[in-house]
Amino acid sequence: MKHLQIKNILFLCTANAARSQIAEGLARNLLGPSTNIMSAGAQPTAVHPYAIETMAEIGIDISRQRSTSEMDIDPASIDLVITLCAERVCPSLPANIRHLHWPIPDPVPDDPALAPDAIRAHFQVTRDQIQARIEILASLLNIPPGPLPQEFHGSIRVNSLPHSVRFYAWLLDIWPKEWTHRYATFIRPDLNLNFVLLVSDGKALHHDTLYHLGIGVANRNEVIEAYHRAIAVGAQVEKPPRTTWKGTPLHELWLKDPDDNLVEIYARLTDDELLQKPENEAPSYLVPGTAPPP
């Protein structure tokens, strides 16, 4: 779904009274006018008063929304359908419609004796759960092109290297390619996976540690292109593209994710590139103007 154009979103539940109405109001607020938001139900009734009230608490007015039958919606006009029912009866969908399912319990109580404050609490929980999911959906829409991964590398810290090597040899169904007293490296070419176990040394994580996610791309130009794409999307660049020679020679770019976890985008050097290794093994920066001051 990364580069799909999602312009028309339909939220569905059974009665189109609470969950899908709350979702419609939240999505209009969070996704903005560029996305057309609708809601409907298999057995539509009316917008529940507590749905209106719980949305008003966060400054969103859904009092003018109306319950709609799913039969009144043209499936061809919808890019994405999100069903919200946790019960067994849920609106059926044509197989060719792109579909997400968020099973959220109906906040409308079965017990008529339930106190109003308890009912409000159910609706507030429903609202907050739907809002958190729509916030993630909003972050996924209109993602620009990223790197083109060919392999993945991950490193984790472990307390006992022998115990963890045994576990991951079982889990990945392969012996490590190599190991020392400090690390073990597992290679699964069929999964495009390079996975490293590191002995935990108790030191704080920093830019020199190997604890990170790595994404392998095809060549030097793809690393440079990944840098420009990272700049365009506003990603944090830890180290700009460069060719490093010490250890494993690579073209590499280091980023940080929103939680400051390190991400390496790298390409292995060709045989011809390896012949260009400088005597001092100093890194070569690949984008003009990105080298640190001397």
Side-chain angles (χ1 to χ4, degrees), residues 11 13-18 20-21 39-41 43-47 66-68:
F11 291 96
C13 67
T14 305
N16 192 212
S20 54
Q21 293 287 352
S39 70
Q43 302 166 6
T45 55
V47 183
R66 295 291 179 265
S67 293
T68 304

Side-chain angles (χ1 to χ4, degrees), residues 108-115 119:
V108 178
D110 293 329
D111 182 2
L114 199 63
I119 300 174

